[in-house]
Amino acid sequence: SQQGEEDPQALSIQEGENATMNCSYKTSINNLQWYRQNSGRGLVHLILIRSNEREKHSGRLRVTLDTSKKSSSLLITASRAADTASYFCATDDSGGYQKVTFGTGTKLQVIP
Amino acid sequence: GAVVSQHPSRVICKSGTSVKIECRSLDFQATTMFWYRQFPKQSLMLMATSNEGSKATYEQGVEKDKFLINHASLTLSTLTVTSAHPEDSSFYICSASKQGGISTQHFGDGTRLSIL
């Protein structure tokens, strides 16, 4: 299965601290994406990094990709209570139809 | 842009009822829509991929006669859970990809289905 595994499964930090989540996957990819899900809601796309990119930034988000290790990390800097959510990585499926496979997710709690 | 509306947000019904869930892309054309199922504290499990004007592609283990998918237009896909039973209770989420775009998906807010 291509499904990514995320580490840690749960993370609790104080507001203002940085949060780092990791994702590992099994096969070659075209790109990797990170999504966020608030409890009981749909997913919101955060950032996409292509297989030929090593690092990407968007606001307080920093994503790295190491294709040799088949891993990615998501760093949220200066966390806020509103960042509390589950975060999922998603890898594309080269079989077509723009299909992606989601990782197991990291549940982040930011304590005010 | 890229707003996806999913309706209803919550359904509670008796066992044996059929339930229809709608997924609409409001401000873009979605050649492809996806239907996911999510159990508590778990990741999203892809059920099927829906392409406008053609039959849906179901993932292994998903009963196509149980979960009927229709994608009649570039902005609407529906999932009908037929003769629902308590084990079908779950959180169902749809997503849509823009026509010609890469694999970024835009998600609806999900439907919480509870079968009594």
Side-chain angles (χ1 to χ4, degrees):
Chain A
S1 165
Q2 171 72 313
Q3 185 181 46
E5 293 188 2
E6 289 170 71
D7 165 56
Q9 290 186 338
L11 179 61
S12 183
I13 59 174
Q14 295 289 329
E15 197 165 33
E17 294 180 339
N18 296 341
T20 300
M21 291 159 267
N22 303 295
C23 167
S24 60
Y25 56 92
K26 296 180 180 178
T27 64
S28 297
I29 60 171
N30 290 325
N31 56 64
L32 184 144
Q33 303 174 65
W34 285 89
Y35 287 83
R36 165 199 167 121
Q37 183 182 32
N38 285 7
S39 180
R41 302 293 297 274
L43 275 71
V44 174
H45 182 257
L46 296 176
I47 197 165
L48 179 149
I49 186 166
R50 298 179 189 271
S51 60
N52 62 354
E53 297 177 307
R54 292 296 167 259
E55 188 171 312
K56 203 162 184 180
H57 297 254
S58 177
R60 293 183 296 112
L61 305 180
R62 173 177 166 245
V63 169
T64 62
L65 178 65
D66 186 337
T67 52
S68 67
K69 295 181 179 179
K70 293 186 171 56
S71 68
S72 174
S73 68
L74 170 67
L75 168 67
I76 303 174
T77 60
S79 64
R80 305 168 182 168
D83 294 328
T84 295
S86 291
Y87 292 83
F88 295 90
C89 66
T91 51
D92 67 336
D93 187 320
S94 58
Y97 296 114
Q98 303 173 309
K99 171 182 165 181
V100 298
T101 302
F102 286 87
T104 51
T106 293
K107 188 167 185 177
L108 173 66
Q109 181 184 25
V110 181
I111 303 168
Chain B
V3 178
V4 174
S5 173
Q6 187 172 341
H7 178 81
S9 59
R10 186 175 181 95
V11 180
I12 302 173
C13 58
K14 293 181 179 179
S15 184
T17 307
S18 291
V19 178
K20 180 186 281 189
I21 304 169
E22 291 188 348
C23 182
R24 294 180 185 271
S25 56
L26 299 185
D27 52 1
F28 66 99
Q29 291 188 327
T31 308
T32 305
M33 289 186 171
F34 303 86
W35 288 96
Y36 296 87
R37 183 172 180 175
Q38 186 178 32
F39 293 101
K41 300 181 181 180
Q42 293 190 26
S43 187
L44 281 72
M45 183 185 74
L46 180 65
M47 298 174 66
T49 302
S50 168
N51 289 285
E52 183 264 337
S54 63
K55 290 183 179 180
T57 302
Y58 289 81
E59 295 299 302
Q60 193 172 13
V62 178
E63 298 176 60
K64 60 181 180 182
D65 294 331
K66 174 76 171 176
F67 300 99
L68 301 179
I69 292 172
N70 183 277
H71 193 161
S73 76
L74 284 171
T75 60
L76 174 64
S77 177
T78 61
L79 167 67
T80 301
V81 183
T82 61
S83 187
H85 291 283
E87 59 266 28
D88 298 323
S89 298
S90 191
F91 191 56
Y92 293 87
I93 310 176
C94 73
S95 71
S97 290
K98 290 183 178 181
Q99 188 176 20
I102 55 176
S103 55
T104 298
Q105 295 182 23
H106 306 280
F107 285 81
D109 270 345
T111 297
R112 174 74 58 192
L113 176 62
S114 299
I115 307 298
L116 305 177

